[in-house]
Amino acid sequence: MPSTRPPYRVAIIGTGGIAHAHATAIAELPGRAQLVAVADVDRERADEFASRFSVPHASDDPQAMLESQELDLVHICTPPHTHAALAAAVMRAGATALVEKPTALSLREMDQLAAVQEETGAKVLTVFQHRYGAAAVRLRRLVRTGALGRPLVATCETLWYRSDEYFDVPWRGRWEIEGGGPTMGHGIHQFDLMLSVLGPWSAISALADRQARPTDTEDVSVAAVRFANGALATVVNSLLSPRETSRLRFDFEYATVELEHLYGYREEHWRFTAAPGHDELSELWTAGDEPDVDSGHRLQIEAVFDAWDTGQEPGVSLEDARRTLEFAAATYASAFRDARVTAGELAGDDPFTLSMDGGAVPWERIKEALA
């Protein structure tokens, strides 16, 4: 969407691997945004990143950067345990925080961020870029109009593979830093997309285990879910699957819609099957003229700017992201308590509002034991 305003001023905190995707996405939006500053606790890495992406200011002090720059949007690309504190600092500096998933490590931290939003009037947005691919946007539109009929059944699978060596990085596989295993750090993208299509969930029954990896967290979880609209779903999050894939399937009254990809999708990764007697829906599915672009960071970042240009609220809001994080917390609570968990049940000082493990992990914490 064309804009006549000056480019939005953007900064990045954390210059590790995922930050490169953010910087590349910003560079693909010339005239819309300018990356004016970066910060990383490793000054050499910050300088190298700034040189690579032609960023005029680099710092090893995020707070100093926030105080010295006039910023519209700050991308937080640091390890998960730092997200909440940095997002609060960004809001108090008068900018919007765009935070890599997970937004925070607990529901309590999410509620603390909501209090800072109320205090400052600034916002926290969460990176769930797969919501913004053209086919996902089209699917949500068809669901809203009722064209596909009632949602009945869904499957959501993040079947990935991470070797033992993957967890040699000190902050990986630790509850206090990542917040959890594949449920929090990997599958969350797929079940967030599922939630964006099916709406509020009402109950979860789950299992989680550490079957093979040298980690404190789970390496697999499986959940059965009931949605408020009556649909039933299964959700699997795994780091033990040599043939990697990410799969979603939605069975509606009048059509099945399927997606299979790995880390991002295009139109070719979707499949639409109309029920007998509803062939016209296949034409409706292919009637869009949206550009066929990878479901990457650029689409969500561009959507933020489009919303600002037109005076709308951009996604994914803190309230919306909290629903997804509550889904993860309920998965853990159900698994570790061996009990069904309903939406809204985790509240107050419930241990699973304070941390994803709820103090109830049924296995030895390997890294703590070796420390």
Side-chain angles (χ1 to χ4, degrees):
M1 181 180 297
S3 175
T4 58
R5 73 171 311 282
Y8 291 103
R9 292 175 59 83
V10 178
I12 294 176
I13 300 176
T15 57
I18 198 62
H20 290 72
H22 286 250
T24 299
I26 294 165
E28 291 174 353
L29 297 170
R32 302 297 303 280
Q34 180 183 5
L35 182 55
V36 298
V38 297
D40 193 295
V41 292
D42 184 332
R43 181 56 188 260
E44 182 177 354
R45 188 165 65 179
D47 288 339
E48 290 174 355
F49 187 93
S51 176
R52 175 173 178 176
F53 290 100
S54 302
V55 183
H57 301 286
S59 173
D60 58 7
D61 185 341
Q63 186 60 46
M65 182 195 74
L66 293 173
E67 292 173 357
S68 65
Q69 300 290 323
E70 292 290 332
L71 300 168
D72 299 299
L73 184 67
V74 179
H75 299 232
I76 297 176
C77 302
T78 54
H81 72 294
T82 66
H83 287 178
L86 288 170
V90 168
M91 286 190 286
R92 291 193 169 106
T96 294
L98 178 63
V99 188
E100 269 294 336
K101 56 77 187 164
T103 326
L105 293 193
S106 69
L107 298 177
R108 174 64 57 85
E109 285 189 346
M110 294 291 276
D111 294 339
Q112 290 169 346
L113 286 175
V116 179
Q117 277 197 161
E118 183 69 21
E119 167 197 332
T120 63
K123 300 291 185 182
V124 177
L125 310 175
T126 299
V127 176
F128 283 125
Q129 71 271 21
H130 294 323
R131 292 188 181 203
Y132 291 86
V137 173
R138 187 187 320 131
L139 175 57
R140 287 194 296 271
R141 182 170 65 246
L142 292 174
V143 171
R144 283 196 305 270
T145 64
L148 304 181
R150 290 189 300 120
L152 302 173
V153 183
T155 58
C156 175
E157 298 174 338
T158 301
L159 303 173
W160 291 2
Y161 185 84
R162 297 294 183 267
S163 67
D164 288 359
E165 290 72 25
Y166 175 81
F167 295 99
D168 288 343
V169 176
W171 56 267
R172 285 180 177 155
R174 294 173 59 181
W175 292 102
E176 69 274 20
I177 297 181
E178 283 201 287
T183 311
M184 272 285 274
H186 304 82
I188 194 169
H189 274 301
Q190 301 310 311
F191 64 72
D192 174 77
L193 180 53
M194 178 186 70
L195 294 171
S196 79
V197 173
L198 295 182
W201 59 274
S202 59
I204 293 177
S205 296
L207 299 169
D209 206 347
R210 185 187 64 196
Q211 294 203 354
R213 295 293 170 258
T215 171
D216 291 340
T217 63
E218 89 287 2
D219 52 23
V220 61
S221 68
V222 180
V225 188
R226 182 181 295 277
F227 282 82
N229 57 24
L232 300 179
T234 58
V235 180
V236 182
N237 307 294
S238 169
L239 296 181
L240 307 176
S241 307
R243 190 184 81 79
E244 294 187 290
T245 188
S246 306
R247 280 200 298 253
L248 279 166
R249 174 174 172 143
F250 302 95
D251 291 323
F252 299 91
E253 285 184 283
Y254 310 137
T256 291
V257 184
E258 299 168 88
L259 166 64
E260 183 166 5
H261 66 118
L262 188 53
Y263 301 132
Y265 61 79
R266 299 174 73 97
E267 291 285 349
E268 67 191 81
H269 298 112
W270 291 79
R271 181 177 179 181
F272 187 92
T273 306
H278 295 275
D279 293 340
E280 76 283 354
L281 292 177
S282 296
E283 297 180 8
L284 191 61
W285 175 256
T286 58
D289 59 356
E290 307 95 339
D292 188 13
V293 179
D294 286 335
S295 60
H297 289 75
R298 182 177 73 80
L299 289 177
Q300 182 168 0
I301 295 167
E302 185 175 29
V304 171
F305 300 147
D306 288 346
W308 282 348
D309 286 349
T310 56
Q312 301 177 56
E313 290 293 329
V316 176
S317 71
L318 189 63
E319 180 182 10
D320 207 5
R322 191 190 189 283
R323 285 192 288 270
T324 298
L325 202 69
E326 185 189 9
F327 187 95
T331 299
Y332 289 123
S334 175
F336 297 150
R337 286 177 170 163
D338 193 22
R340 180 172 175 266
V341 175
T342 58
E345 177 180 334
L346 303 180
D349 291 328
D350 185 296
F352 284 93
T353 69
L354 306 180
S355 67
M356 290 291 154
D357 71 344
V361 177
W363 55 76
E364 181 185 13
R365 293 173 180 264
I366 292 176
K367 293 188 177 182
E368 289 184 2
L370 295 178

